Amino acid sequence: MNKAIIFSIGTALIASLFSINAQAQDVKGTAQAGQAKVWICVGCHAIPEYRADWPQVYRVPKLGGQNAEYIIASLKAYKSGERKHPTMRGIAGSLSDQDMADIAAYYAAQNANSPRNPLK
C-alpha cells in the first residue's frame, strides 16, 4: 500500500480520536436541563428509604446533593455493565453523555432539604 495513503489514514484516525475525546470533555451539564430529564429517576430515588428487591435487595440512595462527577461515573459504570443492577443498566444505557451531565448537575444542585419530586 502506498505510504501516503497509510499516513493519511493514520492521521485521520488520530484526528478522529482527539475529536471524540474533546467532545466528551466539553460536555457540561445544567441543572435546568437536568430537571426535565430526572423524571425517570424520581420513581425510585424520590421515595424515602426505598429498597428495590429484584434481583436482590438494594437500598436506593437519595441523589440530592450528591457530587456530579460521582453520579456521572456511576451512570457510566451501569451503562458499561461494570455495575450490575439490571434496571439501572437499562436506564443508563438509554442516556447520552449530555443526559448524564444534566442529571448529575441537577442532583448536585440539590441538598437534603430540596423537594424530592422535581415534577410537582
Side-chain angles (χ1 to χ4, degrees):
M1 194 181 269
N2 186 334
K3 288 183 181 180
I5 293 173
I6 293 172
F7 179 77
S8 296
I9 292 172
T11 303
L13 286 173
I14 291 171
S16 67
L17 289 174
F18 281 116
S19 173
I20 290 169
N21 189 33
Q23 288 174 352
Q25 291 176 353
D26 289 345
V27 175
K28 300 271 191 259
T30 67
Q32 184 177 6
Q35 185 174 8
K37 298 175 182 183
V38 296
W39 62 269
I40 199 161
C41 311
V42 171
C44 296
H45 291 281
I47 302 170
E49 303 299 320
Y50 182 64
R51 285 176 170 56
D53 62 3
W54 187 87
Q56 64 187 34
V57 176
Y58 290 91
R59 184 187 147 279
V60 178
K62 260 181 50 175
L63 297 178
Q66 183 60 267
N67 179 284
E69 290 79 19
Y70 178 79
I71 292 173
I72 293 169
S74 297
L75 288 169
K76 286 183 177 186
Y78 283 118
K79 187 172 187 170
S80 74
E82 182 182 336
R83 285 188 170 193
K84 303 294 183 196
H85 191 275
T87 304
M88 282 302 303
R89 184 165 187 197
I91 292 168
S94 72
L95 300 174
S96 68
D97 286 347
Q98 185 64 59
D99 293 334
M100 291 181 194
D102 291 337
I103 290 168
Y106 173 81
Y107 280 116
Q110 306 302 304
N111 62 46
N113 297 319
S114 296
R116 291 186 177 267
N117 187 345
L119 305 178
K120 286 185 178 180

